[in-house]
Amino acid sequence: MDRSEYIKYIRYTVGEYNSAKKNKLFSLLKNEGIITTEENNQTSFLNQDSIKVDKLDIYESILKAVNRSDKAIEVYEKLQFSEHYKYSAIFTSNNFEQITNVVEHIPNYRFSNDISLYDTLKNPQKLLMDNKIVIKFNKKYRAIHPQKGEEMFLDYPVLLVIHTKEELMEIRLDSISGVFVEKNVQSIYAEIIKELIDYMENNYNIELQPLDIRFIRGQIEKASNIRIIAQNMYMFEGSKAQLAVGNNTNYVMPFIGDLRELIRSNEIIFKDSKDILEKFIKEKEELAEYPWIQIEIFGDNKDQNIKEKIIFNYMNRGYCVIQHYNNSIVEGMERMNNVVKYIKEYIGEAKSEQ
């Protein structure tokens, strides 16, 4: 793929970024001295080769930079290693030490004018970040805009993050517009995850084993910094219920949570039936299946709270998918890393209780 063709993919891909992600890329380009605005022209010494973008908006500034500078493209590519993605799936392995040794053979990331995007997952590169090995694949998608008739080009990164401290592996991928795929979008995510699992097994003899985290619901109920704020329940007798706390600041779940609060607040009235009611609630919860739950992880203040949706046994594939909701305050890969850290802690707590 030549450079002009690659720019088409970058142009559309960056255009689909949300404002926070565009701002992040713009800031990185400015910090690297690749672009300059009137503001930092007055406050700092700049490289003579800096690209002036005084009268351009953020998106146009980014496009001007990548059109003129290979260094700007490198910044764009490296950001893909550390950015926030919408979906992730977590896996484990029986021989984690072997995995870290094997992936040493995957080449380290370096910018190259020999640009390649692929229709399938292949030729990954890796970047070492803290206690993580981040392996990146780049798929390409093309489509025709259904209204405008214009051709669209998508650079679609897929990551395998090896958390060496937690000894867990995580596949990260972003949302994709339905115009790029012929099938149901949800099934496409499952197919990409399967493609990556197969690639690692066929090329590196690494088996990604799904991590069953259904136990996490019980662990979250005991935690002080996380609450379940919504859940989908399939009752043992066949009925279904989708419950959410809504704007309830006490995080009391409708029906079951309300009933618990009623018993707690009226112990005298319910003294003869308390055990029966509590047994009823416990059986309802323990015998139910939960296709998904939504959780809220508390930060130092409310603006830093993050919400995650955990979909169990995604598309009947045996693994769980975590949907990461946007938060303008907590951005980048940090929030995804924190979720993995919490899961590892809960695994330890669950084992200690067995």
Side-chain angles (χ1 to χ4, degrees):
M1 178 183 292
D2 63 25
R3 194 179 193 281
S4 61
E5 183 78 0
Y6 188 34
I7 294 297
K8 292 179 183 178
Y9 282 89
I10 297 177
R11 175 186 293 273
Y12 178 83
T13 302
V14 174
E16 292 298 294
Y17 285 179
N18 61 30
S19 58
K21 196 168 179 180
K22 285 191 184 110
N23 285 330
K24 177 71 175 291
L25 180 53
F26 179 81
S27 295
L28 289 171
L29 293 171
K30 194 161 66 168
N31 292 341
E32 291 286 335
I34 298 168
I35 60 175
T36 176
T37 61
E38 192 174 70
E39 177 186 355
N40 67 339
N41 192 30
Q42 294 173 348
T43 59
S44 64
F45 176 77
L46 295 168
N47 189 317
Q48 292 291 327
D49 296 328
S50 294
I51 301 164
K52 293 184 179 180
V53 293
D54 292 347
K55 297 181 180 179
L56 300 178
D57 64 23
I58 286 176
Y59 175 58
E60 291 172 332
S61 299
I62 294 169
L63 294 186
K64 186 174 181 180
V66 297
N67 268 299
R68 296 190 182 185
S69 167
D70 286 348
K71 182 66 176 174
I73 295 177
E74 182 180 352
V75 170
Y76 159 81
E77 290 178 347
K78 289 183 77 172
L79 180 60
Q80 293 178 335
F81 283 93
S82 61
E83 253 307 308
H84 168 268
Y85 289 84
K86 188 165 185 178
Y87 300 104
S88 66
I90 300 176
F91 297 83
T92 185
S93 172
N94 290 329
N95 194 340
F96 202 84
E97 185 177 348
Q98 179 193 8
I99 290 171
T100 56
N101 292 333
V102 168
V103 298
E104 284 295 316
H105 299 292
I106 296 175
N108 292 322
Y109 167 78
R110 63 179 181 82
F111 175 76
S112 171
N113 286 311
D114 182 18
I115 299 163
S116 296
L117 300 178
Y118 304 98
D119 295 319
T120 60
L121 296 181
K122 62 181 181 179
N123 295 339
Q125 291 184 308
K126 73 175 185 292
L127 203 60
L128 305 181
M129 309 179 73
D130 297 326
N131 295 311
K132 297 160 196 65
I133 304 168
V134 185
I135 300 166
K136 180 167 74 81
F137 302 79
N138 284 82
K139 296 191 74 169
K140 65 177 179 179
Y141 290 94
R142 298 175 71 161
I144 302 297
H145 195 286
Q147 281 81 42
K148 298 178 181 178
E150 299 173 351
E151 195 165 13
M152 302 182 297
F153 304 82
L154 181 65
D155 174 11
Y156 187 79
V158 181
L159 305 186
L160 174 62
V161 182
I162 299 175
H163 298 264
T164 56
K165 184 178 180 180
E166 289 78 13
E167 295 193 347
L168 294 172
M169 293 173 286
E170 180 189 16
I171 296 175
R172 295 178 177 176
L173 62 167
D174 227 334
S175 56
I176 184 169
S177 171
V179 299
F180 289 106
V181 295
E182 297 177 357
K183 302 177 182 179
N184 175 277
V185 170
Q186 297 303 317
S187 67
I188 286 297
Y189 300 139
E191 287 184 11
I192 294 172
I193 291 172
K194 182 181 185 303
E195 186 182 358
L196 196 153
I197 291 170
D198 291 345
Y199 180 91
M200 297 304 293
E201 184 168 3
N202 295 336
N203 290 275
Y204 297 100
N205 198 29
I206 292 175
E207 183 181 356
L208 277 70
Q209 300 172 350
L211 179 66
D212 185 353
I213 57 173
R214 285 176 293 181
F215 71 88
I216 203 169
R217 187 183 174 280
Q219 298 304 122
I220 288 172
E221 289 182 340
K222 303 170 190 174
S224 60
N225 61 333
I226 303 180
R227 287 289 182 272
I228 296 173
I229 58 174
Q231 61 188 19
N232 195 13
M233 299 176 68
Y234 287 6
M235 305 298 185
F236 177 73
E237 65 274 12
S239 58
K240 300 179 183 180
Q242 185 169 313
L243 308 174
V245 300
N247 294 322
N248 185 332
T249 56
N250 293 321
Y251 296 89
V252 175
M253 195 69 70
F255 173 55
I256 289 178
D258 289 334
L259 188 53
R260 272 205 182 97
E261 284 295 306
L262 186 65
I263 295 168
R264 186 187 63 80
S265 302
N266 298 275
E267 289 189 359
I268 296 176
I269 296 174
F270 290 106
K271 66 178 181 179
D272 295 329
S273 55
K274 180 181 177 182
D275 290 344
I276 296 172
L277 289 170
E278 287 181 344
K279 183 181 178 182
F280 167 79
I281 294 170
K282 187 174 182 180
E283 286 180 349
K284 283 291 183 185
E285 288 186 321
E286 291 184 350
L287 295 177
E289 290 190 6
Y290 298 86
W292 58 262
I293 61 172
Q294 187 175 329
I295 64 174
E296 184 168 357
I297 303 173
F298 303 142
D300 293 335
N301 55 64
K302 191 172 182 180
D303 289 338
Q304 293 180 325
N305 290 4
I306 58 175
K307 295 180 181 179
E308 315 282 343
K309 183 177 182 180
I310 303 174
I311 306 168
F312 301 108
N313 192 22
Y314 184 76
M315 302 287 289
N316 294 315
R317 301 295 178 108
Y319 53 78
C320 303
V321 165
I322 303 172
Q323 180 177 345
H324 305 270
Y325 294 101
N326 285 331
N327 181 308
S328 59
I329 305 297
V330 186
E331 279 293 333
M333 70 186 299
E334 180 184 359
R335 61 176 294 182
M336 304 181 78
N337 295 340
N338 286 341
V339 172
V340 174
K341 184 181 72 174
Y342 286 132
I343 288 172
K344 181 63 177 181
E345 289 174 0
Y346 293 145
I347 291 172
E349 290 173 7
K351 284 182 178 178
S352 67
E353 293 173 4
Q354 290 177 353

